[in-house]
Amino acid sequence: MTAERDPAGGANARRLWTSTADLWLRAVREHGASDPAGVVLPGRVTGDGERRESMEAIGRSFLLASARIAGADAADAEADALVEFYAQAIVDGTDPRHPSRWPLGVTCRTPLTGITNSIVEAANLAFGLYTAGDRFWSRLDAREQDQVHGWLRHHALREVWQNNWQLFPAMAEAFIRHSGGDASGLHGERNVARVEGWYLGDGWYTDGPAHAVDYYNAWAIHPYLWAWYRMTDRTQTADGQRHLERLAQFVDGMPSFIAADGAMVHFGRSLTYRTAALAPLWCAEISGISPFAPARTRELATSVLDGFVRHGVGADGQLRLGWYDEYLPAMQDYSGFGSPYLAGIGFLGLSLPSGHRVWTEPDAPAARQAATRSFDGTGLTLSTAGGDAPVVLVNHGSDHAELPVQDHGIRDVDDPHYASFAYSTHTAPEVGDGWLEAVDGHITLFDAEGRPSRRVKLRGRTQQGPLSASVHYPQVDGRLLPGTCIVTASVVNRGTEVRAHLVIAPQEHDRIREGSFALAGPEPLAQDVTARRAQAAVANGVHRVALTGLHGWDDGDVVAHHGTNAMGEHSAIPILTARRDRGETVHVAVHQILSADEDPSAALAGLDVTVDGTAVRVEWPADGMSSEFDLRSVVEWDGQPGRPGGRRT
């Protein structure tokens, strides 16, 4: 059985959302029929054990169920059944005497002495209880409500990691206050102030330490801040109004991450949350501060949902760990069988009744235009050629190296979903053994043993419209390569990126390699390497990735992998290689992701790139677009004498 699919628009779109919600909740209700709080789904169990996974499955799927309940008609039997199932699950799970009781979370201090994820699920329960409203809360009697308050209060008192987790105790406290429980001695306001202090600009926050920028803005920071201000009656305060302004700014940029077919840029951790990225769209619509007409909100959100449904996500009633197909190698170690159901927070629009204008306003379809957009303070730039073309994200801002999230069996703390120079809506980074080779999205030197260097931590960055740049010190096995650094600048237009590097390294590091996107498919990819110039391309029948050397490159080639990519069983990466003959060298290449029948050279015909020493000029005369920079001064790092000057942003 698959979800009913209707074209976007009005009642048809709402039917898609409703039928998909009911379908994705089916496995939870079926497997938890005899013991809702202790539901066990097929799939991976983390080291915390099944009880933790059961709690997560209920806490996260309740986000989906709560929106379904809130927006349902009074006579909706499916909504009534959800109320009964989740009321039993939550009462049993929070009862310390019940055999399937959920673990109580401990404070996040090293060394940890127990399970911490209960703190996350307390926040999810709080969000869901607030969303579901009185139709759900009144189903519990006074004793049961006090029990739930007590469980939430325990978690509201915990100290947590210095990232988006700061919002989880605050959320638990907020619902206690909202529903008249005992909130004495709690300090959620402090936690919210910490998160607000991580604001970067254009609606974006860093997720704790510097250079941790990703979708956690969409599936945690914005929706939980939004709910916190509402539950604590602070929406009309200066801080609450400021957050609504930031939310509107963030939502205004969301279309930049979505291709015409609904595919989202594949970037950052916890990607199994999928549609959770849509939560801010609905938050802005509910608050009446969206920059879009209601029909546009509906069209954008429905295109993403429909994209996942078309790829078979949840087709048998269960959300599994992966992006499209189930794929564990790209998943974080903290994700178990219940984790993917955080997708439900992206269904918040279902809490709006069928008569709301987001479901009734007529369609107003518009053609996708070519666009390039950067986001202040993030180091992220998005670009597309418009129409059906993919969206490309150029990354000179996020590395997540301060809080590594995955053990790859090496001492370097970089991550495939942050350390590449570029990502897209139709490619995914290589993981596992493919990641250890440091090919896709990398510029790589090699140590004496032939091991590839890694980007890891950004040492400085700048961003000016379509131009962005960063600096990193190449390292291998957790150690910097002595005397080496690489300055990289990118100029992007219509989804085509010109990427230039200034490589400063001792002569023994004479081999250098650059890789483009890793394109994947169900069968081995077609390869095209042009011998007369440094050029290589791969194609999967739908898209083509092309890499063309313009300066400082000798040869093109292709690296193929098997089983290392979330987008398909077979993957391949165009690469360029060169031999460096001096201590400082400049290398410039063009990265493209096109439709399979497009000629890469045709797209390059309108591009003019000149290199003079370390000065680079990039022009697209037809678009009236040009950028000129010196790799020595485009970005400052570490403020050390003899290093390139300029202004760090």
Side-chain angles (χ1 to χ4, degrees), residues 2 7 19 30 39 83 209 221 331-332 349 364 377 401 408 415 456 463 483 507 512 539 590:
T2 60
S19 61
E30 288 181 351
V39 60
V83 170
I221 294 175
M331 299 295 101
Q332 280 68 46
H408 299 290
D415 186 277
V456 190
Q463 189 172 15
Q507 191 58 46
I512 189 169
V590 180

Side-chain angles (χ1 to χ4, degrees), residues 400-540:
H400 219 290
E402 296 288 350
L403 286 174
V405 294
Q406 193 78 4
D407 181 8
H408 299 290
I410 57 176
R411 294 173 61 192
D412 303 303
V413 295
D414 52 344
D415 186 277
H417 297 90
Y418 295 92
S420 293
F421 284 110
Y423 298 87
S424 90
T425 48
H426 291 81
T427 60
E430 296 289 280
V431 298
D433 291 342
W435 170 246
L436 295 182
E437 290 185 27
V439 181
D440 61 302
H442 280 66
I443 180 80
T444 300
L445 296 169
F446 297 86
D447 70 1
E449 299 175 29
R451 296 178 298 181
S453 68
R454 316 191 73 85
R455 189 182 184 196
V456 190
K457 183 177 175 61
L458 300 179
R459 306 290 174 155
R461 62 185 181 187
T462 191
Q463 189 172 15
Q464 302 166 19
L467 168 67
S468 55
S470 61
V471 179
H472 75 277
Y473 299 162
Q475 68 181 57
V476 176
D477 196 24
R479 297 182 179 182
L480 301 179
L481 295 180
T484 68
C485 65
I486 298 178
V487 184
T488 303
S490 300
V491 181
V492 63
N493 180 45
R494 294 178 176 267
T496 294
E497 179 195 356
V498 176
R499 190 181 303 165
H501 308 277
L502 170 60
V503 179
I504 303 172
Q507 191 58 46
E508 62 261 30
H509 302 302
D510 63 338
R511 288 198 303 129
I512 189 169
R513 179 184 68 200
E514 173 151 44
S516 194
F517 299 100
L519 190 64
E523 305 292 338
L525 277 69
Q527 302 181 14
D528 181 12
V529 178
T530 304
R532 58 185 173 80
R533 63 184 300 189
Q535 187 177 64
V538 296
N540 63 3

Side-chain angles (χ1 to χ4, degrees), residues 229 234-246 289:
Y229 284 113
R234 286 177 167 89
T235 300
Q236 297 305 317
T237 66
D239 288 346
Q241 289 295 298
R242 180 188 63 192
H243 179 258
L244 287 178
E245 292 172 2
R246 292 174 174 179
I289 51 91

Side-chain angles (χ1 to χ4, degrees), residues 217-235:
N217 275 266
W219 46 55
I221 294 175
H222 272 294
Y224 287 127
L225 283 173
W226 173 83
W228 185 86
Y229 284 113
R230 290 169 70 90
M231 284 193 281
T232 58
D233 295 322
R234 286 177 167 89
T235 300

Side-chain angles (χ1 to χ4, degrees), residues 6 85 120 132 134 161 169 199-200 223 225 236 248 262 331 380 390 423 428 478 493 543 548 551:
D6 286 302
F85 177 84
V120 184
D134 192 58
W161 311 116
Y199 187 66
L200 297 172
L225 283 173
Q236 297 305 317
M331 299 295 101
L380 306 182
Y423 298 87
N493 180 45
H543 292 102
T548 304
H551 181 89

Side-chain angles (χ1 to χ4, degrees), residues 132-143:
D134 192 58
R135 182 170 183 171
F136 186 90
W137 189 241
S138 64
R139 162 64 178 76
L140 309 184
D141 62 30
R143 181 194 65 79

Side-chain angles (χ1 to χ4, degrees), residues 133-188:
D134 192 58
R135 182 170 183 171
F136 186 90
W137 189 241
S138 64
R139 162 64 178 76
L140 309 184
D141 62 30
R143 181 194 65 79
E144 292 168 336
Q145 290 180 357
D146 286 345
Q147 177 182 299
V148 173
H149 277 153
W151 195 84
L152 292 175
R153 180 177 170 81
H154 170 88
H155 295 94
L157 286 165
R158 300 308 98 188
E159 294 294 335
V160 293
W161 311 116
Q162 290 292 325
N163 60 358
N164 67 88
W165 278 54
Q166 288 290 314
L167 295 176
F168 301 151
M171 284 292 296
E173 175 189 346
F175 182 75
I176 293 171
R177 292 187 185 279
H178 175 72
S179 54
D182 177 16
S184 60
L186 302 181
H187 42 66

